[in-house]
Amino acid sequence: ANPGKTIELSLEENRAERGNIGYLDMQRVFKLYPETIRAKEAFEEAVHQAGEQVNLRKAEFLRMRADLTKLQAEREVLSKSAVLAAQSPMGLPSSTHTVIGSLPGFSLPLSTASALPLSSATSAATPLIVPLPPAPPAPVSLELRALEERIAQMTRDLGKKEAEFKDYQASAEKNLLDLENRKSEIILGKIHKAVQEVAHKEGVSVVVDKGSILYGHNAVDLTEKVLKYLKGT
């Protein structure tokens, strides 16, 4: 065999027939196909709408987080107020009783004892002990307890809302990816059908992608012919 001669590729469906090879710039055809352009515009609109829904849910989630931060700051203020109130010198005495004087055999209310002469209030043998009323619960403590409950509930709600947001965002991204794949499959199916029709008309038995060949003669380039077929011109 002479190595200088070109090799004639036989594409026989049977031994009596030969075929021709054509090539196609698939990327160019896909990009310039009018239906691809319409599908791209529709997909961009779908992305925009999905983005708006994600942003709305994200804004709701961020508002809840901001509200929780405010409640936590309020709790810090109340906690400091409770500590200061407990340390204040104006607070109630730690003892539950007070001695105001001594009278023989009985005790008098504080107001009555204070009205007696000093000698009467202090000369008796029995100390006069007046019980103090029990201290009422500090309102700050009750408010702080209620605030703690609100913070705990909002923390649970926020965790649930965050999980829902992440699930929705992942689902939206998956739906967009599925939509893009479906549209691409439909468009590629139509292009392949057009390639078959053009190849049959041009007498071409095999069509390969332009990116897969090292050299191709313009005479067998089917790119523009397929585009005209797809555009209906």
Side-chain angles (χ1 to χ4, degrees):
N2 188 346
K5 292 184 178 180
T6 59
I7 298 175
E8 180 182 0
L9 181 61
S10 177
L11 301 173
E12 305 175 12
E13 188 170 326
N14 55 57
R15 296 292 180 179
E17 295 183 1
R18 294 180 181 274
N20 297 321
I21 295 179
Y23 66 89
L24 176 78
D25 188 343
M26 189 64 176
Q27 185 175 0
R28 175 177 169 80
V29 172
F30 185 85
K31 181 179 179 180
L32 297 181
Y33 182 24
E35 190 162 335
T36 302
I37 298 173
R38 290 191 294 268
K40 182 179 179 181
E41 293 173 349
F43 181 72
E44 289 175 350
E45 178 62 24
V47 171
H48 176 71
Q49 293 179 359
E52 287 185 341
Q53 292 300 317
V54 169
N55 288 335
L56 286 175
R57 291 173 179 265
K58 184 177 181 180
E60 182 180 0
F61 164 69
L62 293 178
R63 281 196 300 270
M64 289 185 64
R65 179 182 289 177
D67 291 341
L68 178 60
T69 301
K70 290 180 181 178
L71 288 179
Q72 291 171 337
E74 185 178 346
R75 176 182 61 186
E76 292 297 322
V77 173
L78 285 178
S79 298
K80 292 179 180 179
S81 298
V83 172
L84 292 175
Q87 297 175 349
S88 173
M90 297 301 293
L92 293 173
S94 58
S95 174
T96 58
H97 297 78
T98 183
V99 178
I100 63 168
S102 59
L103 288 176
F106 63 91
S107 299
L108 291 177
L110 180 60
S111 58
T112 305
S114 61
L116 293 175
L118 180 61
S119 59
S120 299
T122 60
S123 61
T126 304
L128 181 60
I129 301 176
V130 178
L132 293 175
V140 174
S141 299
L142 295 177
E143 185 177 357
L144 185 58
R145 188 179 302 114
L147 187 57
E148 291 282 3
E149 293 176 358
R150 287 181 59 192
I151 289 175
Q153 182 61 49
M154 183 169 289
T155 300
R156 291 190 293 268
D157 293 342
L158 183 60
K160 182 179 179 181
K161 184 65 67 175
E162 183 177 8
E164 291 176 351
F165 170 74
K166 289 181 179 180
D167 289 343
Y168 181 84
Q169 187 177 34
S171 177
E173 292 175 355
K174 182 180 182 303
N175 290 339
L176 288 174
L177 182 60
D178 292 343
L179 176 62
E180 184 180 26
N181 289 337
R182 287 197 304 271
K183 287 183 176 294
S184 296
E185 289 175 0
I186 293 173
I187 292 172
L188 287 174
K190 293 181 178 181
I191 291 176
H192 289 160
K193 183 179 179 181
V195 170
Q196 292 175 6
E197 295 289 336
V198 172
H200 179 74
K201 181 179 179 181
E202 297 295 324
V204 174
S205 300
V206 176
V207 179
V208 297
D209 189 2
K210 184 178 181 180
S212 303
I213 61 176
L214 298 177
Y215 171 77
H217 195 278
N218 291 335
V220 289
D221 185 355
L222 303 179
T223 302
E224 296 302 325
K225 294 178 180 179
V226 170
L227 279 172
K228 288 181 179 180
Y229 181 92
L230 289 170
K231 293 178 181 180
T233 58

